[in-house]
Amino acid sequence: MSKRWLFLSAAAVLIVVSLALVLLPGGKSGEDVKTEAGHAATGSAVNSPSATGTSTASASPSARATGASKKPSATPSARPTATSASPAATKSRQQAAGTASLAGRIRPGVTYSGVATFYDADGGGACLYDPSDDVLTGAMNTTDYESSKACGAYVLVRAAGGATVTVRITNECPGDCAPGQIDLSAQAFAKIASPSAGRIPITWSLVSPSTSDTISIRYKTGSSRYWCGIQAIGHRNPLARLEVLAGGTWRQLPRASYNYFLSESGSGCGGAIRLTDIYGEQLTVPALAVRPDVVQATRLQFAKH
């Protein structure tokens, strides 16, 4: 028998013995057990499904589930509120543009507090209206006069005892008159208190009275085609804007503290005039000749509110 055959036979015997040892029940060597335990430890620490699933899949889904359970109740309720609030906000802005911003300090539906005094009034004053037989007038304090925005406004004045009188604002009460104060004509004061009282607490609010009068227009002394001042007289509601038609475009004129709207360049002087009250109503007066200090009647009047 050759040496090669003997070597192969020995190798075959070793292989058979090895296989028998492996196939025996519980036939793991100490080294094999140690190696597998090392792999198990590594798997737990590095790639354990329970660790990964708890820290990632368990924590994240938990957060998302919390959001899913709370946000549907919070988010949908918040969104409809915002959506339903948006039209209300838009409506408020439209109201502000149409009334509040046009009205200035004296606004419809608001009750103001102050005091009433009186003086000898003739219907004239800072608003540059002509003296008249209308003795129920008042001079508004400087703050609420608001650089002539109060001119022509009708206000209902109420004394503490309940007596009332409606007056038209024709003048400004400067100096000692505090915000809320109205210096009434002597005749108006006498309708709500004894003149001997001299000074009484009042509340007052804007009104839109019944009237058969119509609005008139007057150009200021010195007006021409090159410069003019325009005044509206007899309007039922406070006047917010006066515009003139110039070059096919309506141009808003600034209002002076003496209650004339001024066109410094003469633009629109003698043309059509558009009046807007604090409620947003607009009236268009056809072109009038520039006739300084002449009251020119129209057939127009603002609606009652």
Side-chain angles (χ1 to χ4, degrees):
M1 186 178 293
S2 64
K3 290 182 180 180
R4 179 173 180 170
W5 173 250
L6 289 173
F7 177 78
L8 290 173
S9 297
V13 171
L14 287 172
I15 291 171
V16 171
V17 172
S18 298
L19 287 172
L21 289 171
V22 170
L23 293 174
L24 286 173
K28 290 185 180 180
S29 67
E31 191 65 30
D32 290 336
V33 172
K34 184 178 179 181
T35 301
E36 288 180 6
H39 285 176
T42 305
S44 296
V46 178
N47 196 25
S48 167
S50 64
T52 305
T54 302
S55 63
T56 305
S58 176
S60 284
S62 172
R64 289 175 186 169
T66 302
S69 66
K70 290 185 179 178
K71 286 187 179 178
S73 62
T75 305
S77 66
R79 285 180 182 169
T81 301
T83 303
S84 63
S86 187
T90 303
K91 187 175 181 181
S92 295
R93 285 195 296 271
Q94 289 173 344
Q95 279 185 322
T99 59
S101 63
L102 292 177
R105 287 184 57 85
I106 303 176
R107 304 186 177 194
V110 178
T111 298
Y112 301 86
S113 298
V115 298
T117 49
F118 67 91
Y119 74 112
D120 291 327
D122 61 3
C127 295
L128 293 191
Y129 297 135
D130 291 333
S132 70
D133 295 333
D134 179 11
V135 295
L136 300 181
T137 61
M140 186 63 73
N141 67 84
T142 297
T143 301
D144 295 319
Y145 180 78
E146 201 176 0
S147 189
S148 81
K149 282 187 179 181
C151 287
Y154 288 87
V155 295
L156 176 68
V157 181
R158 184 182 300 274
T164 64
V165 63
T166 297
V167 298
R168 185 168 68 106
I169 302 303
T170 61
N171 202 357
E172 177 186 8
C173 179
D176 294 337
C177 279
Q181 181 173 349
I182 302 178
D183 203 17
L184 299 173
S185 65
Q187 295 88 337
F189 189 92
K191 287 187 174 293
I192 58 174
S194 169
S196 62
R199 180 186 183 94
I200 61 170
I202 58 167
T203 58
W204 55 273
S205 57
L206 185 68
V207 292
S208 177
S210 298
T211 179
S212 58
D213 293 340
T214 56
I215 297 171
S216 297
I217 299 294
R218 174 163 55 190
Y219 278 95
K220 194 177 187 309
T221 302
S223 293
S224 68
R225 294 180 57 188
Y226 308 102
W227 178 94
C228 67
I230 306 173
Q231 182 185 61
I233 305 168
H235 41 85
R236 186 201 313 265
N237 306 319
L239 195 61
R241 294 174 184 155
L242 187 149
E243 300 164 279
V244 292
L245 189 61
T249 302
W250 288 106
R251 178 189 170 200
Q252 184 176 341
L253 299 184
R255 190 176 195 169
S257 61
Y258 49 84
N259 196 33
Y260 272 87
F261 294 82
L262 306 180
S263 177
E264 299 285 357
S265 66
S267 178
C269 295
I273 299 168
R274 186 164 69 182
L275 308 174
T276 305
D277 70 4
I278 61 170
Y279 299 96
E281 183 182 359
Q282 293 184 325
L283 302 175
T284 300
V285 180
L288 297 172
V290 180
R291 302 172 62 192
D293 205 26
V294 174
V295 176
Q296 302 186 60
T298 74
R299 296 181 179 181
L300 304 172
Q301 184 57 273
F302 292 117
K304 186 178 185 300
H305 289 267

